[in-house]
Amino acid sequence: MTATIYDVAALAGVSIKSVSRVLNRGPNVSPALEQKVQSAVATLNYRPNLSARSLAGASSYLIAAFVDAELTLEHWRSGRGNDYLSRLEYGALVECRKAGYHLMVELVDYGSPTLETWLFSLLRSLKPDGVLLTPPNSDDARVLDVLERNGTPFVRLGAEVDLERGMRVFMDDRQAAADMTAHLIALGHRRIGFIAGPSGYAASRKRQEGFEAAMARQGLPVDPDLIVDGDFTFDSGRRAGAAILGHAERPTAIFASNDDMALGVLNAAAALGVATPASLAVCGFDDTPSALLSTPPLTTIRQPVAEMAAAATRLLLPSSAGKPGHAERVDFVLVDRSSTRPLD
């Protein structure tokens, strides 16, 4: 027989109202009360009925994550999957589970002319308690306008404009790219190629800015012929890598602004007979699982996507004191592997 909230209250020796306060992360919950209720929940294997809970109050117990439809679908069409989305889901799901919430992931086509109408319809039908916004949705004024007009709390990942709108969790992409470039320079590289990400992503611009700033600090020229645009996919990295390596005066290193594109560079280099890292150092950004499994393993920036998603989810829960304008920064790590080495 399925346990009810009444069973939990009886076993814990407290009122139903007290059980509800604990399960809904309400105020004035003492450690002793928390322990009694959670012990009874575990003993009875009690699972709250989300539909009943949402009917009983204003909360839907649902957190929505908005992700870029175009890039996500492109990753799946290529057969490579989307590691960013997987890590985002993991971080958010862990926090949702702790709080008794559900997570819904929605693909948002920010290029659609009916974006605002579609968003209003989605928010009014599902009534999420909060929304996680990933790039480029996190900087799309239309998305922010709809959420604010609807009164839906939101947290922006990697936002770069209108920083007072909503809450945000971010990493310093500019500094991370500068550190990676400085790493290559310290290894002796002076002629370095760079593959940029899609222009719709603020992180793409910040990473390129970091690369160029680090080169300038060392008095090194940035050859515009060695900067090629990509779209964060393996194929775009392969094409960009082939274009850069096609120059008569090849660079000794290529920095791709995400791992999938860096893996594409490795593929292009192998096809052209350019040995990595003996003749070409390659590095990326993200630290996806493929970065460790590639040949050679990829030097990269570890972007803590799961941690960012977890922090963002916590800000949307009732126990959070987060308010619009609140910002949290998470740290990156430069992971040095064998795709880079000192220049001979």
Side-chain angles (χ1 to χ4, degrees), residues 218-258:
Q218 296 299 319
L220 298 175
V222 175
D223 186 341
D225 289 338
L226 299 184
I227 298 181
V228 179
D229 291 336
D231 61 12
F232 283 161
T233 64
F234 175 88
D235 283 342
S236 74
R238 179 175 51 79
R239 290 191 297 269
I244 291 173
L245 293 173
H247 288 288
E249 188 182 354
R250 288 174 173 169
T252 62
I254 295 178
F255 178 12
S257 54
N258 85 330

Side-chain angles (χ1 to χ4, degrees), residues 25 61-67 83-106 130-134 155 157 169 304-317:
R25 306 258 170 170
Y61 297 91
L62 178 68
I63 300 295
F66 290 175
V67 300
D83 179 73
Y84 179 93
L85 178 56
S86 298
R87 289 185 289 161
L88 175 90
E89 288 179 325
Y90 175 77
L93 279 169
V94 168
E95 296 303 318
C96 283
R97 182 177 177 84
K98 289 179 185 176
Y101 278 64
H102 280 192
L103 176 70
M104 175 192 73
V105 177
E106 274 293 332
V131 173
L132 304 181
L133 292 177
T134 66
V155 181
L157 299 184
V169 177
V305 176
E307 291 85 346
M308 292 172 71
T313 302
R314 288 193 295 269
L315 287 173
L316 292 171
L317 298 175

